[in-house]
Each structure stands twice: as C-alpha cells, then as structure tokens.
Amino acid sequence: MDRLANTVRPYAWGSTTALPELLGTAPTGEPQAEMWMGAHPGAPSRIDRGAGPVSLAEVIDADPEAELGPDAVRAFGPRLPFLFKVLAAGSPLSLQVHPDLNQARDGFADEERRGVPIDAAHRNYKDANHKPELIAALTPFDGLCGFRHPAQTADLLEDLGIDELTPYVDILRASPEEAALREVLTAVLSADHHVIAGTVERAAVAAEQLAGKGGPHADAYAAYAVLAHHFPGDPGVLAAMLLNHVQLQPGEALFLGAGIPHAYISGLGVELMANSDNVLRSGLTPKHVDVPELLRVVRFEAGDAGVLRPEEVAGEEVYETPIDEFRLSRFVLAAAGRPRALVSRTPQILLCTAGTVRLRTAEEDPEGPGQTELTLAPGESAFVRAGEQLTLEGEGTLYRATVVA
C-alpha cells in the first residue's frame, strides 16, 4: 500500500477553513475547494516506493493488471475508473447535470470531429465517459438535487407573490409532469437575461422575507436567497427553484445519476465519481451554458432527493448505488474493537476523516511495492493495490473507495 500525496484545487467557491481544519493545517486565506485522490490526469496523486515521488497515473500505466487487478482492467480498461475527492463548498457551485455514457461518447466524438479544442471555454465534453457521482456529508451539507414535484413547486413560486412567475405556476399546475418541467426550465434559461434579471431579483427579495417567517418552504427559500446573493440576476436562481432543497447530516449521502440537475451550496463531504470531467451547466456560473445541449441531457423526472444512509454489511457501512465504477463505504472503528480484515480483487483508496487508523498488510513482504504499515490521521489517504490483504485498527472513521468488478 502507498501513502498518497494529494493536490488541493483552489476553486473560487471553496471554503477557506474546512479543508485546513480536516487536514490540521493553517488556513492560507485562499479558498481550498477539492482534494483529489486518484489518477485523474488533471491532478493525479503521488506515491513514493523508494525512488522518489511519482504520479499514481504513471505507476498504473506501467503495469495496470498488477495495480488494478485483471477484473477491473477487463471491466473498465487499464486506468483507475474512479476519482475520489474531499469537497469543501464555502459558496454555491454551478447548477449542473452530467451525461450518460452514450451521450458522453456521442458528444465527445461530435466535438472532436468539429475540431473544438479540448480546453475551449465552450467545449461541453472533455472525455467520452459518464460522470455519476456520490456525495457523503462530513458536516451538515446544503444542496439541491432533482426536480421537486411540479404541484409543490407551483405552490412555492405562487407564495413568492411575483406576477412574472404566474405563467410558470400555471404551466406547473396544468401540464403533465415531464412537459411542465421541460417547458418551465426552457423558458427560464432561454429568456432575455436583461428582462429576467429583474424577476430574479424580486423573487430573491421575496424568498429572503419568507425564509424568516417559517413554514414548509422556509429552508428552501433561505437557500435560494443565498444563491441570488452570490449570483444576482442569474436565471439559474429560478431554475434552482424547480429543484429539491436537501440538508444532509453527517454520514448521509446523495447519488447523482445521469441527467439529474443538482448543485452544492455549502458544507464538507467526500465525493466519489466515475473518472470523468463532463459537466453541462444550467446557471449559477459565469462559465459557458449550452441551453440546447443541456435540455437534451436533462431527465425531466420529479421525485424526492433520495437521501442515502449507509447499510451495514459485515461491519462495513456501504452506500448502495447502481454503478460499478465505484463503491463507497466506511468503517467506524472503536479503540477496543478487533482488527478488521480488508481485501479486494480491485484497487482501493482509503481516507481517514476522524481519529487515527492503522493499516497493516497481512503478509509483510519487505521486497514488495509500497509499505507494510501506515498510520492515517484525518485527511490522509492510501492507495491499495488489487489483491492486497490488510487489517484495520484504531479509533476513527475510514472511508473506502473501490470498484465493483
């Protein structure tokens, strides 16, 4: 196994304190948004097997079957199929969706064929892979996920008392679910920005006032007022009002499949996703918004947000999802507990988020790659090659990212 040296990405929406608090480092005063763990080419982790630090991506490229195992290579090819992150949102992220696998392949091939530069600001597809993702809260976590039922959204918008929203309310009440959501989202994102900006501002003021009065939508109104504060006049604020507002407690999670509109507002969490960078934005951002392509990818299905809680399986708490590229679980270890055995035919990344966790290989081979014993403190992580047998002990919380293959 190998201790990982990871890159922290300083995106503008990042918290200035959450990641330093986890890592036990001094804040720099600058935002620290995401710590990446894995072999994504944008910021691969580094390991040291005695010859100095080297990219985990290079190590895997040199011998994929030894690092990933034949099962993972056969299922997903010779690369680590997931990207593991710690995400620290100090302000809202963009409202976005991710394509399914066929949409990603077609979109990537089309932009390649048209010669759109891979780093172009208007490029939609950075790769040919889908990007399902799972976010598990480490602190109270605020977000938006999936469309609320149209009738409930009609009530929420009507209570704002803004005349310009009445046509949207009428559509949400009268039309079938899919048609209503499609028509309203299309109208909001296609409207003249100068015209709709005033509506957004009036809706934001009303939402802030209603948030202080309590009621069933008070928390959602407060969240929308926060969005409007960060993105004044942005039509994405109205688009966000179509979505479920979610407040996760530590340990709770959301799974975000293809086509599900979502946004993170604030909080610290661990995020696990397929190894892709494909994002289609629908607002709350100064970046490119391709409305026709977005509408092609969005799934216009209403329902609750589907909060996940881990289910215990033989002492391991597992977040069940319908995705094979990744599997997230956690161990909550007690000081007096027995060591836990851990083995997998596929690669793993282990992240300590609280306390201290000790990892030991079952067979101590001084000639083998990596280390035979590691102690992880909060924010520290390790890469475990496929087939390596470990024991876990200590007093703390350990999140485990691996592959279903």
Side-chain angles (χ1 to χ4, degrees):
M1 57 187 166
D2 303 278
R3 185 182 299 276
L4 293 177
N6 303 307
T7 297
V8 173
R9 310 302 295 264
Y11 305 136
W13 49 262
S15 168
T16 58
T17 58
L19 266 174
E21 287 175 4
L22 176 69
L23 298 171
T25 58
T28 64
E30 299 299 319
Q32 298 183 41
E34 295 179 345
M35 183 176 76
W36 287 25
M37 297 164 284
H40 191 284
S45 300
R46 299 170 302 285
I47 64 174
D48 189 343
R49 291 182 175 172
V54 63
S55 159
L56 179 60
E58 293 178 16
V59 172
I60 292 172
D61 287 345
D63 195 347
E65 289 216 356
E67 303 296 333
L68 306 178
D71 292 341
V73 172
R74 184 166 51 250
F76 307 110
R79 67 171 191 163
L80 189 66
F82 63 78
L83 176 60
F84 201 18
K85 299 179 181 180
V86 179
L87 181 147
S91 58
L93 283 67
S94 61
L95 187 61
Q96 59 189 252
V97 298
H98 307 302
D100 65 27
L101 190 54
N102 288 331
Q103 290 166 339
R105 287 171 175 168
D106 291 346
F108 181 77
D110 175 65
E111 290 185 323
E112 288 288 281
R113 186 169 51 250
R114 292 190 285 115
V116 181
I118 197 71
D119 58 351
H122 64 286
R123 175 118 187 186
N124 292 316
Y125 297 94
K126 308 296 186 182
D127 53 67
N129 199 16
H130 63 165
K131 193 189 176 187
E133 60 189 39
L134 179 73
I135 182 81
L138 296 178
T139 67
F141 196 94
D142 222 24
L144 305 169
C145 179
F147 288 108
R148 187 188 297 104
H149 287 289
Q152 296 172 354
T153 298
D155 292 341
L156 181 146
L157 294 181
E158 188 171 48
D159 287 349
L160 291 172
I162 307 299
D163 290 342
E164 294 93 330
L165 299 181
T166 299
Y168 303 150
V169 172
D170 293 341
I171 293 167
L172 291 167
R173 292 202 193 284
S175 301
E177 176 181 286
E178 180 178 347
L181 294 172
R182 180 182 294 275
E183 187 172 353
V184 173
L185 184 63
T186 302
V188 167
L189 297 182
S190 303
D192 182 289
H193 280 216
H194 296 291
V195 174
I196 203 168
T199 303
V200 172
E201 291 301 314
R202 286 186 287 278
V205 170
E208 187 168 17
Q209 292 172 345
L210 289 172
K213 296 181 179 180
H217 299 303
D219 289 339
Y221 285 137
Y224 302 139
V226 168
L227 299 181
H229 172 75
H230 287 281
F231 301 97
D234 191 317
V237 175
L238 295 184
M241 291 183 179
L242 301 174
L243 307 187
N244 295 296
H245 174 237
V246 187
Q247 294 176 306
L248 298 178
Q249 296 306 307
E252 295 180 333
L254 291 173
F255 172 71
L256 303 160
I260 304 300
H262 61 278
Y264 303 146
I265 300 174
S266 64
L268 181 71
V270 295
E271 188 178 31
L272 185 56
M273 63 190 65
N275 201 357
S276 172
D277 199 25
N278 284 325
V279 176
L280 290 160
R281 297 174 179 85
S282 55
L284 311 181
T285 178
K287 295 182 179 179
H288 175 62
V289 176
D290 185 336
V291 173
E293 186 64 13
L294 172 82
L295 296 173
R296 189 180 74 85
V297 168
V298 170
R299 291 171 54 188
F300 291 95
E301 300 174 0
D304 62 36
V307 174
L308 293 176
R309 296 170 181 84
E311 299 179 7
E312 185 169 336
V313 180
E316 181 178 17
E317 299 179 348
V318 179
Y319 294 90
E320 295 289 350
T321 68
I323 296 299
D324 291 338
E325 283 95 330
F326 61 75
R327 176 182 183 267
L328 182 67
S329 59
R330 70 175 182 176
F331 294 89
V332 180
L333 304 174
R338 296 171 56 188
R340 306 282 183 87
L342 187 62
V343 64
S344 175
R345 300 193 312 272
T346 57
Q348 307 174 66
I349 292 179
L350 306 177
L351 167 70
C352 178
T353 59
T356 302
V357 179
R358 293 181 295 280
L359 315 177
R360 291 190 178 94
T361 56
E363 298 179 5
E364 297 192 2
D365 178 7
E367 302 300 322
Q371 298 173 261
T372 58
E373 184 173 335
L374 284 177
T375 298
L376 300 182
E380 295 183 333
S381 57
F383 172 73
V384 183
R385 298 181 356 140
E388 192 165 15
Q389 298 183 36
L390 303 180
T391 57
L392 314 177
E393 58 184 320
E395 184 176 11
T397 302
L398 186 82
Y399 279 84
R400 178 194 188 199
T402 188
V403 181
V404 180

